[in-house]
Amino acid sequence: MAQPEKKLLNTLNGKIYEAPPVWMMRQAGRHLPEYLELRARAKDFLDFCYSPSLATEATLQPIRRYNMDGAILFADILLILDAMGRNVRFVKGEGPQLDPASNAADLDKFPLEKLLDRMSPVYETVSRVKTQLPPETTLIGFAGAPWTVAVYAVEGKGGTDKSVSRLKAYQEPEDLDAMLDILVETTAHYLKAQADAGADALMIFDSWAEGLAEDSMLRLVIKPTQKLIQRVRELGVTQPIIGFPRGSGAMLAPYAKETGVTAVGLDTALPVKWVNEALPTGFPVQGNLDPLRLIAGGDEMDNRIREIKSALKDRPHIFNLGHGVTPQTPIKNVERAVRVIREI
Ligand code: CP3
């Protein structure tokens, strides 16, 4: 019997559907009661990510509940820094914290094989999820982009204006570039391991691309991502890659053209009509409903979903949010959004 088609994967390969495939960033997580119940079983968040049975279950929960077209591996972009010895902690209410790296040598304490081996529970999760997913669901592996992970490494936390790392880029350019190079190489192998374990597609989160000057965007976001993708391809990975430079604004256009990504994620602030003018015809995009629309719900949510679908109907489009699902999101609004997205 023929396998049912993977719509999300086909969209990344250029196919256009009348009703776009859908998944949502942070679809697994705190808005789901079944996640909170599961989460209570692990001591801390890193243990949770490193438990293939818990992480597999967390990956599958939103698929069971919403029948999303895409499943995102349950893990975190900071695992790589923890493996590098930066002692990542998730402090309740304060976001992630870690021991700041003062120079590139701080990210280069262990041989590559050892780092990759430390993260092996993640590849185990990918292969377990793969065997349990419906055949029409696309499995997405991911990693943080070199710049975003470097920001966490330098600042020791997220959510800042990144001034320490931006200034370091100007004042100690060689050391910052060396950090990015270490992250490029490690991340390339990490993504390759996920691809080998069965990921159908890969995504690169550049969550701190926002607010960079044009020259910095080229140097810190576009160039390292280009190197990363080149390395991933050299390692033999053929899966499509979605790049998500959140807050890149107009620099999304050179990002899409120069990095080698297959598709780009659109953050909430990007005007969808501008996207059509700025990106080449046929270039796949993913996005970009405001996650807060899912809290408010109602006809306004439905109308905005229809507007986004309509504006992007002539190019391959994966429906998603412009950022992650928030913990306060009512399940019934996610169900309703998925119904509207799937309307023809
Ligand atoms: O459905 C999914 O998307 C699950 C997989 C996933 C998580 N984090 C799980 C998670 C993915 C793809 C990420 C990526 C990630 N992690 C990013 C990039 C996306 C973005 O948000 O820009 C970033 C910046 C991180 C770093 C990180 N991890 C932050 C800022 C936080 C929030 C801290 C907090 O206290 O809210 C995390 C923790 C985290 N990662 C949670 C989840 C479900 C919440 C942890 C919990 O259960 O308490």
Side-chain angles (χ1 to χ4, degrees):
M1 214 176 70
Q3 288 275 323
E5 59 174 349
K6 288 190 197 299
K7 282 192 180 173
L8 197 159
L9 188 59
N10 291 347
T11 302
L12 289 171
N13 288 323
K15 191 161 171 179
I16 298 173
Y17 292 95
E18 227 178 312
V22 54
W23 70 282
M24 293 180 188
M25 291 183 279
R26 291 279 166 95
Q27 62 190 16
R30 286 178 294 195
H31 85 289
L32 292 177
E34 61 269 34
Y35 169 77
L36 294 176
E37 201 250 307
L38 197 65
R39 174 72 183 76
R41 292 193 216 165
K43 180 164 75 25
D44 64 37
F45 182 66
L46 283 185
D47 290 336
F48 190 103
C49 292
Y50 277 139
S51 157
S53 62
L54 295 175
T56 298
E57 183 57 23
T59 308
L60 294 171
Q61 283 176 342
I63 308 308
R64 290 197 199 105
R65 200 180 258 280
Y66 305 121
N67 187 27
M68 296 291 189
D69 295 285
I72 182 134
L73 161 72
F74 195 92
D76 199 86
I77 63 164
L78 301 178
L79 295 184
I80 204 161
L81 288 177
D82 193 68
M84 287 175 167
R86 302 323 304 161
N87 183 23
V88 174
R89 285 100 58 193
F90 288 85
V91 185
K92 225 187 165 103
E94 287 182 45
Q97 291 179 9
L98 51 141
D99 299 346
S102 26
N103 51 46
D106 279 348
L107 299 184
D108 206 14
K109 298 204 296 196
F110 304 107
L112 183 62
E113 292 69 39
K114 184 159 179 196
L115 293 181
L116 294 171
D117 191 52
R118 282 199 177 165
M119 294 186 283
S120 62
V122 174
Y123 328 138
E124 171 66 20
T125 301
V126 172
S127 57
R128 288 195 196 187
V129 171
K130 183 76 172 183
T131 61
Q132 293 180 51
L133 268 188
E136 67 274 20
T137 314
T138 300
L139 175 54
I140 305 165
F142 74 92
W147 167 245
T148 286
V149 177
V151 169
Y152 275 105
V154 170
E155 313 265 343
K157 57 185 194 294
T160 68
D161 66 354
K162 310 174 287 276
S163 52
V164 181
S165 26
R166 287 192 292 131
L167 194 56
K168 185 176 170 73
Y170 292 141
Q171 291 183 325
E172 297 167 50
E174 281 169 16
D175 195 54
L176 194 91
D177 286 347
M179 282 187 169
L180 293 171
D181 282 343
I182 292 164
L183 290 166
V184 163
E185 190 61 18
T186 315
T187 306
H189 282 88
Y190 179 52
L191 288 171
K192 152 95 173 144
Q194 293 181 33
D196 287 351
D200 299 306
L202 299 168
M203 181 153 165
I204 299 170
F205 286 91
D206 222 337
S207 304
W208 303 127
E210 191 167 8
L212 293 179
E214 179 180 6
D215 57 339
S216 295
M217 186 74 85
L218 288 168
R219 177 181 149 215
L220 304 172
V221 169
I222 294 181
K223 207 166 129 226
T225 303
Q226 183 187 54
K227 278 191 188 170
L228 173 59
I229 290 173
Q230 192 186 336
R231 256 329 257 140
V232 168
R233 296 301 181 216
E234 278 168 13
L235 295 173
V237 173
T238 56
Q239 281 86 336
I241 301 175
I242 307 164
F244 183 40
R246 182 154 64 82
S248 61
M251 294 303 280
L252 183 72
Y255 179 96
K257 286 175 202 144
E258 290 163 29
T259 54
V261 291
T262 317
V264 285
L266 311 176
D267 62 62
T268 307
L270 282 171
V272 271
K273 289 195 181 117
W274 172 84
V275 166
N276 279 332
E277 290 155 25
L279 300 187
T281 311
F283 197 91
V285 296
Q286 170 174 284
N288 76 339
L289 185 71
D290 185 345
L292 299 188
R293 282 276 182 212
L294 284 179
I295 302 179
D299 292 344
E300 290 83 1
M301 175 184 81
D302 299 356
N303 291 341
R304 183 60 192 157
I305 291 172
R306 293 188 188 110
E307 265 172 32
I308 293 172
K309 274 172 69 173
S310 159
L312 297 171
K313 70 177 171 20
D314 294 330
R315 66 169 67 239
H317 175 212
I318 297 164
F319 204 99
N320 204 315
L321 307 179
H323 197 185
V325 176
T326 58
Q328 313 90 294
T329 303
I331 284 166
K332 66 173 183 10
N333 288 351
V334 180
E335 290 169 343
R336 176 170 170 158
V338 170
R339 266 200 309 279
V340 178
I341 294 161
R342 291 198 169 133
E343 264 170 11
I344 296 204

